[in-house]
Amino acid sequence: MTRMDERYNFRESERKWQTCWTETAAFSAEEGSDKPKCYVLEMFPYPSGRIHMGHVRNYTLGDVIARFRRAQGFNVLHPMGWDAFGLPAENAAIQNGVHPAKWTRENIQTMKAQFQSLGLSIDWSREVATCEPDYYRHEQKMFLDFLKAGLAYRKTSMVNWDPIEHTVLANEQVIDGCGWRSGAPVERRELAQWFLKITEYADDLLSALDGLEDWPERVRIMQHNWIGRSEGARVWFDLVGRDDKLEVFTTRPDTLFGAAFCAISMNHPLAKTLAEKDPALRNFISACNAAGTSEAAIETAEKMGYPTPLKVRHPFDPTWGLPVYIANFVLMDYGTGAIFGCPAHDQRDMDFARKYGLPVKAVVAPANADVAAFSTQLEAGAEAFTGDGVAIHSDFMNGQGVAQAKRTAIARLESRGRGRGTVQFRLRDWGVSRQRYWGCPIPVIHCPHCGAVPVPDADLPVTLPEDVTFDLPGNPLERHPTWKHVDCPRCGKPALRETDTFDTFFESSWYFARFCDPKNTEAAFDRAAVDYWLPADQYIGGIEHAVLHLLYSRFFTRALKTCGYLGLSEPFKGLFTQGMVCHETYRASSGAWLCPAGVEKRADGAIEIAGGAPVTLGRSEKMSKSKKNTVDPSHIIETYGADAARLFMLSDSPPDRDLEWTDAGIDGAWRYIQRLWRLAAQPSVPFAEFADLAGVALAGSAKETVAMTHRTIAAVTEDLSKLRFNTAVAKLRELSNQLAAVKAGDEGAATAYRFGLDALVRLIAPMTPHIAEEIWHALGNAAPLVASDWPKADPAWLVVDTVTLAVQVNGKLRGTLDVPLGAEAKAVESLAMALPAVQTHLAGRTPKKVIVVPNKIVNIVG
RNA sequence: GCCCGCUUGAUGGAAUUGGUAGACAUAACGGACUUAAAAUCCGUAGCUCGGUAACGGGCGUGCCGGUUCGACUCCGGCAGCGGGCACCA
């Protein structure tokens, strides 16, 4: 073998192998391969500037899987791209005067180089950036197809409007009722927006969650709650003295006989009509709007009602009239924007009734309750009864349980033409319009004569103009001198382009499909390519996308299926949500956050390195710029190497839990890398040329090493398949410890050592690929390790011939017993009874019972 | 308020899913090597009581209770921490 240096030079080695992998295109996905496929995908990054530790963790996890599967003989697709549209690019443009395109492309270059320095097994030939027209042109086409299929539509709705920035804000960008950047109180405004009809698939998106067995339960529950299916009824109340009806949604049609009032949203069409002629009502509405939309404001906001002159007739008794209120707690965008109130069986309705002096009538009582006494108590109190029970004071429903009464009420409503059973979802259609420059233009032209006209296919893509300015607030596309002025494709008269762009979640809803065929200019992707590669076998990313991105992608895949783009509904077969990377926080006495690099920890506390002022240690939190508790990955890679950084990411915590970044941890990983090198460069035993065990007699530590090597191969293979990287690392360290303990004098030591070392290097390669290649090469292998197969455990070596049994007396461990595998219970029992410790603890008693679990344990009950 | 997690040595965590709790690390301590330090190597270590010692006893997986020959693991109740949703009719 080649001579090995005493110390491992990671800088030289990492650069060398990265170049080798690139030059040999070692990670290209094969076209037309007959190997089984494996699509490994991490959520693609937003090119914000530089990579952070969260990226390192995310892409390391995916890379281990990709390398492991490749070694196992899969045709692996492991691509990378850039979620390149978004607000930060525009903010940079406003603050620093740099064009969003330039800023984004430069960030991509920087981050790509950083990812490459991590040694990720990415097929870079498939790289895509969503801000390029050759990407977004396809989603413009998709949108037009959605439009044709009735899956996209335009609607006027209430939005969060920032009066300083002149733009709509997403709900996530409204903090305590104010714009996240301007700080100005957000206004509710009505605006015409484009929507995607995600509700069309609500039932399927919900029921298909059960089939996503390789998704975390947590994510499925979150999506389940987000979709929020509830069964109930729409009920039509006739308006007294008018021809129209008030439509109400309820989940409790069984309590209709307890109705005391109806309430409608202040945005309900009826309320608007009334407000036109009623200044007091207008005051009421603006007072409610001013109350704010933050959670805290909602929490404390009083339930307020405004009595209208309207009255409605009860659906089961036309002589029974109910008042109609306009109430601040009724939402226009859930159900029908109108409710009926049953104070006795809904706490909020009860509060409302008490405040406005409305009647309370009990219509459900617990089974076996004294109906008269229960009713009297309930109707006098302030607490609603929402539990299960039977209908009372409810005419034809009396005596029925809640579930049965609901069915009876719905049947009656339907037969009388006063309502129908229905399913209501909490999920709302996805508003995709953004008054932003740095996004994909919505391919529509507004014509004063023809309305909203789709841009003809031949005119796609609609590209963003580059000559825009950011010196004024608002959308630069809106004030661009020429861009929006076009002729109507239908009538040819002057018309205006849509100046809104798509929400950035649009791009990320289909990029996984583009990776299957990224260079296609004719179509978004070739059908055969997505049929082969999709679904992604393993998708990895942060839990923060549990609902938004992951739900949008599931919807998009269904919509694309409806439009004939592909043939499947679920894009991600397996999902893994990794934990955050955390770090201790530090604060100066002034309260200012301090960087870890500027703080020195001592036995008696921490101080600022510059100046020596005392520092307050805070709890460990997710690394963030605002708390300054970040560690720069590039600095770590330069100091310790990519392999050490990768190993630390994998070794300390299970991947789904938060990882605490510590200096000691990265030091430990670095030391292990060096130790691994010494196992090859300065072995305790001069090892053999080949790891060929045929005909080699083994004894003592040599035999144990071979046995442990086989056990480790089996265990690590199992651990990696189940993403248990931390325990895989622990087992590899145990094998390292075993190699260091091989005794030169034991028979077969040289071969056993070489055998163990070979396996160790191959098993650790997915985690620390550079040093693995370096050792592999130094051991005399001509072909690179990335082209080598995954080791296989010999089942014969996994069978043990003796086992150590625990011997308990009354459930307490009193000794152990080495017996042959499968030893007979009777024999084991007498051996156990013969143990001195057992006799001591029995203290002369005769055992009542002896439990022998073969190959595991003996418990003597005395 | 509703839903979901989590709680094991000084620390991160392991435990073949009901069968020897604390693997593997980190920090610590003791020793070897060294003029010294770093690096490296060897060793100790859950807590506690008894003993000079070898060793032996008791207690121990957030708390209380249950099932079982046997519980970190299953069941019931409680607490603490974290997360998601929230005027959803």
PDB file of all heavy atoms in Angstrom, chain A residues 297-310:
ATOM      1  N   ALA A 297     -55.500  40.596  20.399  1.00  0.00           N
ATOM      2  CA  ALA A 297     -56.668  41.461  20.243  1.00  0.00           C
ATOM      3  C   ALA A 297     -57.928  40.623  20.154  1.00  0.00           C
ATOM      4  O   ALA A 297     -58.947  40.939  20.765  1.00  0.00           O
ATOM      5  CB  ALA A 297     -56.509  42.328  19.006  1.00  0.00           C
ATOM      6  N   ILE A 298     -57.842  39.521  19.408  1.00  0.00           N
ATOM      7  CA  ILE A 298     -58.999  38.645  19.266  1.00  0.00           C
ATOM      8  C   ILE A 298     -59.356  38.019  20.605  1.00  0.00           C
ATOM      9  O   ILE A 298     -60.515  37.939  21.000  1.00  0.00           O
ATOM     10  CB  ILE A 298     -58.715  37.556  18.207  1.00  0.00           C
ATOM     11  CG1 ILE A 298     -58.708  38.201  16.824  1.00  0.00           C
ATOM     12  CG2 ILE A 298     -59.746  36.441  18.286  1.00  0.00           C
ATOM     13  CD1 ILE A 298     -58.193  37.304  15.732  1.00  0.00           C
ATOM     14  N   GLU A 299     -58.325  37.610  21.325  1.00  0.00           N
ATOM     15  CA  GLU A 299     -58.498  36.952  22.614  1.00  0.00           C
ATOM     16  C   GLU A 299     -59.300  37.839  23.571  1.00  0.00           C
ATOM     17  O   GLU A 299     -60.189  37.377  24.256  1.00  0.00           O
ATOM     18  CB  GLU A 299     -57.117  36.652  23.204  1.00  0.00           C
ATOM     19  CG  GLU A 299     -57.132  35.815  24.456  1.00  0.00           C
ATOM     20  CD  GLU A 299     -57.435  34.356  24.121  1.00  0.00           C
ATOM     21  OE1 GLU A 299     -57.056  33.915  23.004  1.00  0.00           O
ATOM     22  OE2 GLU A 299     -58.037  33.693  24.946  1.00  0.00           O
ATOM     23  N   THR A 300     -58.952  39.126  23.603  1.00  0.00           N
ATOM     24  CA  THR A 300     -59.557  40.020  24.586  1.00  0.00           C
ATOM     25  C   THR A 300     -60.761  40.761  24.027  1.00  0.00           C
ATOM     26  O   THR A 300     -61.514  41.352  24.784  1.00  0.00           O
ATOM     27  CB  THR A 300     -58.518  41.049  25.073  1.00  0.00           C
ATOM     28  OG1 THR A 300     -57.954  41.683  23.915  1.00  0.00           O
ATOM     29  CG2 THR A 300     -57.418  40.388  25.855  1.00  0.00           C
ATOM     30  N   ALA A 301     -60.921  40.736  22.693  1.00  0.00           N
ATOM     31  CA  ALA A 301     -62.010  41.514  22.095  1.00  0.00           C
ATOM     32  C   ALA A 301     -63.349  41.044  22.636  1.00  0.00           C
ATOM     33  O   ALA A 301     -63.619  39.850  22.731  1.00  0.00           O
ATOM     34  CB  ALA A 301     -61.973  41.387  20.578  1.00  0.00           C
ATOM     35  N   GLU A 302     -64.170  41.998  22.975  1.00  0.00           N
ATOM     36  CA  GLU A 302     -65.485  41.676  23.494  1.00  0.00           C
ATOM     37  C   GLU A 302     -66.377  41.203  22.355  1.00  0.00           C
ATOM     38  O   GLU A 302     -66.280  41.682  21.239  1.00  0.00           O
ATOM     39  CB  GLU A 302     -66.076  42.922  24.140  1.00  0.00           C
ATOM     40  CG  GLU A 302     -66.979  42.599  25.294  1.00  0.00           C
ATOM     41  CD  GLU A 302     -67.492  43.886  25.945  1.00  0.00           C
ATOM     42  OE1 GLU A 302     -66.751  44.889  25.938  1.00  0.00           O
ATOM     43  OE2 GLU A 302     -68.624  43.862  26.421  1.00  0.00           O
ATOM     44  N   LYS A 303     -67.256  40.252  22.682  1.00  0.00           N
ATOM     45  CA  LYS A 303     -68.234  39.821  21.682  1.00  0.00           C
ATOM     46  C   LYS A 303     -69.282  40.921  21.586  1.00  0.00           C
ATOM     47  O   LYS A 303     -69.967  41.203  22.564  1.00  0.00           O
ATOM     48  CB  LYS A 303     -68.883  38.509  22.124  1.00  0.00           C
ATOM     49  CG  LYS A 303     -67.873  37.429  22.514  1.00  0.00           C
ATOM     50  CD  LYS A 303     -67.207  36.805  21.314  1.00  0.00           C
ATOM     51  CE  LYS A 303     -66.142  35.811  21.714  1.00  0.00           C
ATOM     52  NZ  LYS A 303     -64.799  36.418  21.864  1.00  0.00           N
ATOM     53  N   MET A 304     -69.363  41.528  20.419  1.00  0.00           N
ATOM     54  CA  MET A 304     -70.292  42.637  20.267  1.00  0.00           C
ATOM     55  C   MET A 304     -71.321  42.336  19.183  1.00  0.00           C
ATOM     56  O   MET A 304     -71.006  41.730  18.166  1.00  0.00           O
ATOM     57  CB  MET A 304     -69.536  43.918  19.922  1.00  0.00           C
ATOM     58  CG  MET A 304     -68.742  44.444  21.111  1.00  0.00           C
ATOM     59  SD  MET A 304     -68.127  46.102  20.845  1.00  0.00           S
ATOM     60  CE  MET A 304     -66.955  45.834  19.556  1.00  0.00           C
ATOM     61  N   GLY A 305     -72.533  42.806  19.423  1.00  0.00           N
ATOM     62  CA  GLY A 305     -73.601  42.606  18.448  1.00  0.00           C
ATOM     63  C   GLY A 305     -74.337  43.899  18.176  1.00  0.00           C
ATOM     64  O   GLY A 305     -74.435  44.775  19.046  1.00  0.00           O
ATOM     65  N   TYR A 306     -74.818  44.036  16.977  1.00  0.00           N
ATOM     66  CA  TYR A 306     -75.594  45.216  16.600  1.00  0.00           C
ATOM     67  C   TYR A 306     -76.950  44.721  16.125  1.00  0.00           C
ATOM     68  O   TYR A 306     -77.037  43.960  15.154  1.00  0.00           O
ATOM     69  CB  TYR A 306     -74.857  45.963  15.487  1.00  0.00           C
ATOM     70  CG  TYR A 306     -75.543  47.236  15.047  1.00  0.00           C
ATOM     71  CD1 TYR A 306     -75.235  48.455  15.651  1.00  0.00           C
ATOM     72  CD2 TYR A 306     -76.491  47.213  14.035  1.00  0.00           C
ATOM     73  CE1 TYR A 306     -75.863  49.628  15.260  1.00  0.00           C
ATOM     74  CE2 TYR A 306     -77.125  48.383  13.630  1.00  0.00           C
ATOM     75  CZ  TYR A 306     -76.805  49.591  14.260  1.00  0.00           C
ATOM     76  OH  TYR A 306     -77.420  50.730  13.857  1.00  0.00           O
ATOM     77  N   PRO A 307     -78.024  45.115  16.812  1.00  0.00           N
ATOM     78  CA  PRO A 307     -79.341  44.598  16.420  1.00  0.00           C
ATOM     79  C   PRO A 307     -79.817  45.241  15.121  1.00  0.00           C
ATOM     80  O   PRO A 307     -79.713  46.447  14.965  1.00  0.00           O
ATOM     81  CB  PRO A 307     -80.247  45.007  17.590  1.00  0.00           C
ATOM     82  CG  PRO A 307     -79.552  46.150  18.246  1.00  0.00           C
ATOM     83  CD  PRO A 307     -78.089  46.045  17.950  1.00  0.00           C
ATOM     84  N   THR A 308     -80.281  44.409  14.196  1.00  0.00           N
ATOM     85  CA  THR A 308     -80.780  44.929  12.926  1.00  0.00           C
ATOM     86  C   THR A 308     -82.309  44.922  12.976  1.00  0.00           C
ATOM     87  O   THR A 308     -82.902  44.246  13.832  1.00  0.00           O
ATOM     88  CB  THR A 308     -80.345  44.057  11.745  1.00  0.00           C
ATOM     89  OG1 THR A 308     -81.070  42.829  11.803  1.00  0.00           O
ATOM     90  CG2 THR A 308     -78.859  43.792  11.760  1.00  0.00           C
ATOM     91  N   PRO A 309     -82.931  45.643  12.074  1.00  0.00           N
ATOM     92  CA  PRO A 309     -84.397  45.588  12.028  1.00  0.00           C
ATOM     93  C   PRO A 309     -84.911  44.275  11.441  1.00  0.00           C
ATOM     94  O   PRO A 309     -86.120  44.028  11.424  1.00  0.00           O
ATOM     95  CB  PRO A 309     -84.763  46.778  11.131  1.00  0.00           C
ATOM     96  CG  PRO A 309     -83.531  47.157  10.405  1.00  0.00           C
ATOM     97  CD  PRO A 309     -82.357  46.621  11.144  1.00  0.00           C
ATOM     98  N   LEU A 310     -84.011  43.420  10.962  1.00  0.00           N
ATOM     99  CA  LEU A 310     -84.438  42.184  10.298  1.00  0.00           C
ATOM    100  C   LEU A 310     -84.914  41.132  11.307  1.00  0.00           C
ATOM    101  O   LEU A 310     -84.454  41.091  12.447  1.00  0.00           O
ATOM    102  CB  LEU A 310     -83.285  41.596   9.489  1.00  0.00           C
ATOM    103  CG  LEU A 310     -82.679  42.484   8.402  1.00  0.00           C
ATOM    104  CD1 LEU A 310     -81.484  41.790   7.793  1.00  0.00           C
ATOM    105  CD2 LEU A 310     -83.732  42.787   7.333  1.00  0.00           C
TER     106      LEU A 310
END
